[in-house]
Each structure stands twice: as C-alpha cells, then as structure tokens.
Amino acid sequence: MGVKHLWDILDSCKKTLPLEHLRDKRVCIDLSCWIVQLHNVNKSHCSTKDKVYLRGLFHRLRALLALNCTIILVADGAIPAIKLSTYRRRLNSESKVSQDETNSDKASSLQRNMGSEFSGMIKEANILGMALGIPCIISLEEAEAQCALLNSESLCDGCFTSDSDIFLFGARTVYRDICLGEGGYVVCYEMNDIETKLGFGRNSLITLALLLGSDYTPGVRKLGQEAACQIVKSIGECNVLQRVASDGLSFANKPKVSKKQNKAPRRTNKENYSHPINENGPVHDLPNENQYLAVIEAYLRPKCHTADSSVVQRALGGLPFDRLKLQNICARYFEWPPEKTDEYILPKIAERKLRQFANLRSTSSALGLGPPLDKMPVRCPLLEIIKHRKVLGRESFEVSWEDIDGLKTSVVPADLIECACPEKRVEFEEKRAQAKKQNIRKPRIKKSEKEAPISEIDKKLQDLLLDIENEHIATQKAVLYRQSVTEKASYLNEVCQTDQSMPLSTGSKSNLEKVDQIYNSSALAVQQAEVIDLLSPSPPMRARKVAKCQEANVPYIPNVAAKCQEAKVPSIEFIDLSDTENELSPEHTRKARELRIFLNSIRGTP
C-alpha cells in the first residue's frame, strides 16, 4: 500500500513516457506488486489455475527484453516487526496480535509462509524469469526497500512498483504503471520533480507518512492531506525530522478558534486542543516517542542486501537465456507448443542482441575508434535486409538472422538498423535501386504480341481435330473409290448392250483395256466439266437396271453379262449405297468447322 494519499499528493509530478524511454535502461521490479496487479485485473474472469497473471508477466518481460533492458526481479523477504500489526490486520486476524508484536523493540521480523498460494505464484514467476535470463533477488525484508537501495546506489535506472513508500526508502525514479498495447507507455515519477514542484524531500515524505499513516504507523486521525502538507512545508525539509524526534507530533495540534471573531474563546477545564489520536484506539494508545523514532529508522535504514554483497553482485552478472527450459515452462503453464513459444520470444531475443551490438558500435565511435562493420570484434547478428515493412505506422524492415536459436527472419524497427549496421541498409537500398533500373530497361510486350501458351488441353484438341480431318479425307477417298467401281460396272454394262461388235471373250485383255480407256476419258471429261464440292450434301441416290448376275465382279467378266442378256434374264434395280456409317454427315462437318474456329480464337490466330 505505502503511504496513504501519497500518490494523490504526487499527481502533479506524474509523467507519461513512451515505452521507448526504457530502452537500454537497467530496471528492478517489485515482483509482488506486479503479480498482484496482474492477478487483480483478471481475477473476475479467470482462476488462479489459468495462470493468466504469469502469462501477463511473460509478455511484460519480453517487451522489456526487446528494448535491451537489464532486469532484476526483487521479491519480499521476511515481514518487518514494525509492520506485523498491519500485516495481521490485512489478514483479518488482528486479535492475534500480541502486545509484544506491537512493540517493535521486542518483536522480530516474521518469516513468510512459503507454502501459501501467493508464495507459490512468486516462485513460478521466479522460475519464468530465470528461464528468460532474468535474475531474482529475495530481499531481507521489504522488496521496495531493496529496489530503492539499488536505485540510490545507481545500480539501476528506475524501479517498478505501486508502493508509494519506495520514495521514503530513497528511490529516485519510480515507474508506477506500464502499458504494452499500441502506443505503449510508462507512468514515471522523478524525485527531482517532487523536490522542485512540491518542495518535499525524503524527510518531508517520511513525516507525511507519520501524519497520514502508512504500513508502519496509523497516522493522525481526521487530518487531511492538504493540512498535512501545509504543516510539513511550514517546518521545512531540513528540520522536520528533528522536530518529530524532539516533540513527536505535537506540532500537528490545531487550537480551536471560536466562531465569533470579536469574542475570546470560552475556557473550560478541558483542553481546547485536538490531540493526535490513534486511528484504532483512544488517546492513551498514542505511539510514544520511541515508536516515532522506530518508524523513522525503518525508512532511513531498512534491512537490505548491500550493494557489494554477493547476492546483489550475482544478480548484476545476469543469467543466460535458456530456450529449452522456457519451452517446458510455457508448455506446462500455458499449454503452448515449442513453436509458439519460439514465435513469441526469439524475435525479442534477436532484437536485444542487435541493440547490444548497436551500443557496442556507439561506444566505439565515442572513443574515436569506429571500426567498419566487417572489422568489429563481435559479429553482427543481422545477415541482410529482406524487404521494407510498416508496423503500426512505424518504419521497419524484415531481416534475416544468423545463429539465433534457429530464428530465420523477423521484423525490427528501421532506426535500430540505422544505429547498429547502417551498411546493411545502404546495401539493401542499392539492390532495390538496381532492380528498379532492370525493370525499367526491360521492354514491355503487348498483349497482342504475346504468344498464347498451348496448354495440354489445347494440344489434345488439336490432335482430335487432326484425327477428324484425316478420317474425313479417308472416308472421301473410300466413297470415291466405290463410286468409280460402280460407275465402271454400269458403264461396262452399257457398252456391252450398245456395242454388239465388241467381242466379249473372257481372255481378251485388249477389250478390257479399251473399256478402261473409254471410261477414263469420259470420267475426265465429266471432272473437267463439273466441280464437285465434297463439303456439300451428298446427291440423291440413283437407281440403275442391272442383271442379278452382274452383282459379283461385273466389270472384269463381260462374258457373264452377255450370257445373261442372251438368256433374257430380267434386269434388277441396283441402288448405289454408300457406307453411311463411315461417311461424314453435313452436321458433323459443320461441328468440325466450328471447333476449328473456336481453337483459332483461343490461340489468337485469324
């Protein structure tokens, strides 16, 4: 809790800074305050078993790691003896507080119950931090007192806590709240601003704790924050603690003034002064002078690990990042697969390494060295820039990494690359400019000039069309051949009937040759006189009168036809039938023509 109403008093000194303000800073975190904050936010929606508080802590820590923050977690140790009464009251067991426990001289600090639920939450947070490479200090007593010592000794740049009494322990920079969303920020309080704007130093703030109440003292009853501030300012920063040590809180007494200004106040046997009254008891329970001094001593000289202690030095040395351990913890508490854990943390680890490399280059430049990128003692973790990106309106680059636990690519801010390795950005810009020039020089091909790609379906359609055309030609040849044979037979029959002088002997080859010559000459004359369109509908079938004996091999056996004539065999009608199954119909020919036109339109040919 801290000092009552102190955050309201310090509200004019509050500053809201962007999250980038924490870049490259060393911060210590009051772990108990963060766990309480994260647990209370999700308390109404999730149970403790869901580990939502631990997941929130993970995301806060990874955000700070990406900013290259050096983090130290600080957990509470034993409960100070002067705080036992307050601690018991918070646990609703004030009746168990003995008289010895209220007397800080006789009572000793109380070890915390490490088997409680809250202690288990702190232990889980400590394990998570160690896997991320973040050390944890278990304080001797108050965690905020240990954070304040690290800050006052310049071992860290700021402290994260929501306990306002951290200023009374000597902290100089305090971060009360943190937001990680879009446009993340931190709420910061600087002791310099408090001294300048309000005129309150550390001694004045301790006196305000005595007047208003804190974890160590109940304060003066019915004394408001404005009145307390006026009293402390009237005494001054340098003399206020000496005044408390010598006179107690008697300077906080206010005489009662009569409502009638012209009349003197009426005196009675009772004192007309309001005494400082204990919040929980009558006047005779007021803390004595020794108890005031005990509160002052608890704030000025808290029990903490000193700056040169092994515990603090070991924490300042840091811990290595343990990827496998973190994967196991996230799988156990969050049920995340290893890939999801890597996706969350590895880009942040890579960004932290790049910031460390950037700090190394800036330090080298400040010393007047400034070696080029290829001659740095530490190799740059960034291989190359892949492409330009924008993240939440911020200019960024997608880059590839070298040897960062299997991480291939991620997105980093452009200003970070400019600080760490500007040569990589120049190289990327040159490649992009060269690519643009090549694209400009390359002539553009018009759509009409582009050759339509012949797909597999187009090839099959072409093969099918060729088959149809070949079949059409073969069919036409067969029909012509049958027509010629039939016409030869008919012509021979007519010759035999009309030309009685032609001898019809079976073995006379000269007669047959003569018939063929006559037929060929007449057929040639017909072809020259008439052009037949093969694509037009077939002419109507003609009927001729021939003898039955002429049905077999009539053109080459003329004696058979003569015998049939001598025997006066009646002639029959011979119908010239073509093989309609193999002959193409006009409809079939039309469809073939339409298919050919369709294929030509696909290929873009006329």
Side-chain angles (χ1 to χ4, degrees), residues 586-601:
E587 183 68 19
H588 186 80
T589 305
R590 183 181 61 81
K591 290 183 178 180
R593 188 185 302 111
E594 292 178 356
L595 179 60
R596 190 182 300 106
I597 294 173
F598 171 71
L599 291 176
N600 292 335
S601 65

Side-chain angles (χ1 to χ4, degrees), residues 7 13 15 17 21-22 25-30 144 147-154 156-164 166-177 186-195:
W7 288 123
C13 302
K15 294 185 295 186
L17 303 174
H21 173 76
L22 299 176
K25 292 189 179 298
R26 297 166 298 174
V27 295
C28 54
I29 298 171
D30 186 350
E144 59 266 30
C147 292
L149 183 139
L150 296 176
N151 187 214
S152 61
E153 294 289 338
S154 299
C156 71
D157 299 315
C159 312
F160 276 97
T161 185
S162 58
D163 286 337
S164 58
I166 191 171
F167 293 105
L168 284 63
F169 289 116
R172 304 296 301 177
T173 302
V174 177
Y175 302 106
R176 184 183 180 187
D177 295 318
V186 289
V187 177
C188 177
Y189 295 83
E190 295 279 356
M191 194 64 191
N192 293 334
D193 297 334
I194 297 173
E195 293 171 350

